[in-house]
Amino acid sequence: MTISIPVLDDRSFDQLVTEAKARVPVHTPEWTNLNASDPGVTIVELFAFLTENLLYRSNRIPEANRLKFLTMLGISLEPPAAGTGLVSFSNDKGPIAPLVVTSGTEVRAGKVPFQTTNPIDVLPVSAAVYYKAPQPNLDAATQARYQLIYQTFLSSSTDVLTFYQPTELDAPATGKPDPVVDLGDPIAGTIDRSLWIALLAPKGADLDAVRRAIAGQNLSIGIYPAAQVAGRILPPVTTGSATVDPGLVFEIAAPEVDPSGLAGPGFGVGPPNYSRLEITYADPVLTSPGIVQVNLPEYSKLLVWAFDPDEDGTQDYPPRIDDATVTARLVTWVRLRYPPLTDDTDSTSTDSTSTGSGTSSPAQSTGTSDESSDAEDSTSSGGCGCGCSGGSGMTCGSTSTALALADATDQPTG
């Protein structure tokens, strides 16, 4: 734990002068003129100034002693190092094409110059991050209604529905607390140990043109773990490579191509399948701020699901988005989740059984660079990703349902 350095005396100049003047009527009652022009008051203020300086030096003694004791134990201060941080880039109004930012590009924090240490592709997409927040307190009548609506998702009488509230993670903003969600907390965090990144095209842009522009490109995702976690101290920023394990699994939506073609370009059908994205660069983002760069698939595999009305947001599909202006710009979904204990690429389950509780929040995912393992493809479907051993569909905690009656009633969605 962090050692709290004691303060020996914290009296200020004004407090010292006030205390000295309060003693005058007791010790020298004949001294009645205590105005600032009085020579005696000037002497009091002089000694108060000297005393304040002495107290400042005395308060530094515990810190000096602590550093000396640590040095005797062989623990010294960290040597000077260059400042590091995360930088985000966006391509909201530029051409529908990747913009390359080479390593060594100068950026500034105010007047302080920095240089990027790795090249990035700034893609013509922005990111909106969502998660499935637990919603356990629905009244009995509402639960009964949804039990009837989603009866087809239940394979036996013992199966139960688990409800969630699709929640957008606020974007980081200056002057506001960093947005945080605990992926390992099924009560106050997420029900499926996942964060969902919706890649959105610029307003008014052609979705098909955007998909062609980002196909096969590198997507940079900036992640900043929670700065304050009980019993933990966030270490300095470290840099990684393609061989660093970021501690998270990165997947992209992988619907089946609609053989009928009725869904239209960019839409697919089928169960909630996901393909593992190849990691081309990674920092250990669960222990320190950093970025992860993944390679997006080819154009034909950049799809989203064409949902039936009662299917959107259910099972292991992405969370339901009720804002039509957002869904109209949706290019595809990228999922971040905890890895399972055993990563069997032949398995079709997305069951995440890893232990521990990491806290993280993705930042700008259109192009993020810091200053400073390749993964095999696997397709997953049906599993819950919550760490349970149950089956698929709605039998497990993370295969929750979106509430299809949200548009027709005032009930919360989940």
Side-chain angles (χ1 to χ4, degrees):
M1 62 177 292
T2 304
I3 299 177
S4 178
I5 305 300
V7 177
L8 300 181
D9 196 329
D10 60 355
R11 287 178 296 174
S12 66
F13 170 82
D14 291 334
Q15 290 173 323
L16 291 169
V17 171
T18 301
E19 182 179 339
K21 288 182 177 180
R23 295 174 181 267
V24 170
V26 177
H27 297 283
T28 55
E30 64 276 11
W31 184 6
T32 57
N33 183 13
L34 298 180
N35 294 325
S37 59
D38 186 80
V41 173
T42 301
I43 294 176
V44 168
E45 292 177 343
L46 173 62
F47 278 93
F49 169 77
L50 296 175
T51 302
E52 184 184 37
N53 282 270
L54 180 63
L55 293 180
Y56 169 78
R57 294 165 58 189
S58 298
N59 286 330
R60 294 182 63 85
I61 292 175
E63 172 67 13
N65 288 343
R66 183 177 79 99
L67 295 177
K68 185 63 177 180
F69 292 148
L70 291 175
T71 301
M72 294 172 64
L73 294 173
I75 304 173
S76 60
L77 293 175
E78 290 287 338
T84 57
L86 299 181
V87 181
S88 64
F89 301 86
S90 61
N91 182 15
D92 298 329
K93 299 181 180 180
I96 305 300
L99 303 178
V100 178
V101 177
T102 60
S103 59
T105 299
E106 182 177 304
V107 295
R108 288 182 175 268
K111 296 183 179 180
V112 180
F114 290 84
Q115 284 188 337
T116 59
T117 59
N118 52 302
I120 62 170
D121 297 324
V122 184
L123 305 182
V125 290
S126 58
V129 181
Y130 297 86
Y131 62 96
K132 298 180 179 181
Q135 191 182 31
N137 299 321
L138 290 178
D139 60 85
T142 301
Q143 292 192 40
R145 294 175 63 192
Y146 295 131
Q147 191 81 10
L148 179 62
I149 293 173
Y150 295 103
Q151 188 67 34
T152 56
F153 290 98
L154 306 177
S155 58
S156 70
S157 60
T158 59
D159 293 343
V160 295
L161 299 177
T162 302
F163 300 95
Y164 71 90
Q165 176 70 35
T167 305
E168 182 174 2
L169 193 67
D170 294 334
T174 304
K176 294 183 179 180
D178 291 331
V180 173
V181 60
D182 192 338
L183 299 186
D185 186 352
I187 305 301
T190 68
I191 65 171
D192 58 357
R193 300 161 59 89
S194 302
L195 285 174
W196 303 81
I197 300 179
L199 297 185
L200 306 177
K203 294 181 179 179
D206 179 67
L207 292 182
D208 195 60
V210 173
R211 290 191 180 94
R212 292 184 183 277
I214 68 173
Q217 299 292 327
N218 264 349
L219 176 70
S220 298
I221 303 173
I223 299 177
Y224 200 109
Q228 296 181 351
V229 178
R232 303 179 187 178
I233 300 176
L234 189 64
V237 174
T238 59
T239 57
S241 66
T243 59
V244 172
D245 181 6
L248 295 169
V249 173
F250 294 79
E251 298 168 319
I252 193 167
E256 299 174 1
V257 177
D258 184 7
S260 67
L262 297 177
F267 287 95
V269 295
N273 293 339
Y274 300 90
S275 294
R276 183 77 65 88
L277 290 171
E278 176 190 6
I279 296 176
T280 57
Y281 176 92
D283 292 321
V285 293
L286 290 186
T287 58
S288 63
I291 67 170
V292 177
Q293 291 182 338
V294 295
N295 192 36
L296 293 175
E298 60 188 54
Y299 163 76
S300 61
K301 296 182 179 180
L302 291 173
L303 303 172
V304 292
W305 285 275
F307 291 114
D308 293 331
D310 62 347
E311 190 179 36
D312 190 2
T314 62
Q315 301 184 69
D316 208 25
Y317 289 112
R320 173 173 169 171
I321 302 177
D322 292 321
D323 189 343
T325 61
V326 175
T327 56
R329 299 166 52 203
L330 181 60
V331 176
T332 190
W333 285 97
V334 173
R335 178 170 69 170
L336 283 65
R337 64 177 178 90
Y338 275 142
L341 285 178
T342 57
D343 191 4
D344 183 1
T345 57
D346 293 332
S347 172
T348 59
S349 173
T350 59
D351 190 21
S352 296
T353 56
S354 60
T355 60
S357 174
T359 313
S360 62
S361 57
Q364 177 62 253
S365 65
T366 59
T368 310
S369 174
D370 63 11
E371 321 60 25
S372 42
S373 59
D374 292 342
E376 298 182 25
D377 287 340
S378 63
T379 302
S380 55
S381 65
C384 69
C386 65
C388 65
S389 59
S392 59
M394 290 217 164
T395 62
C396 306
S398 76
T399 52
S400 306
T401 176
L403 306 184
L405 295 183
D407 293 337
T409 68
D410 294 330
Q411 300 297 334
T413 59

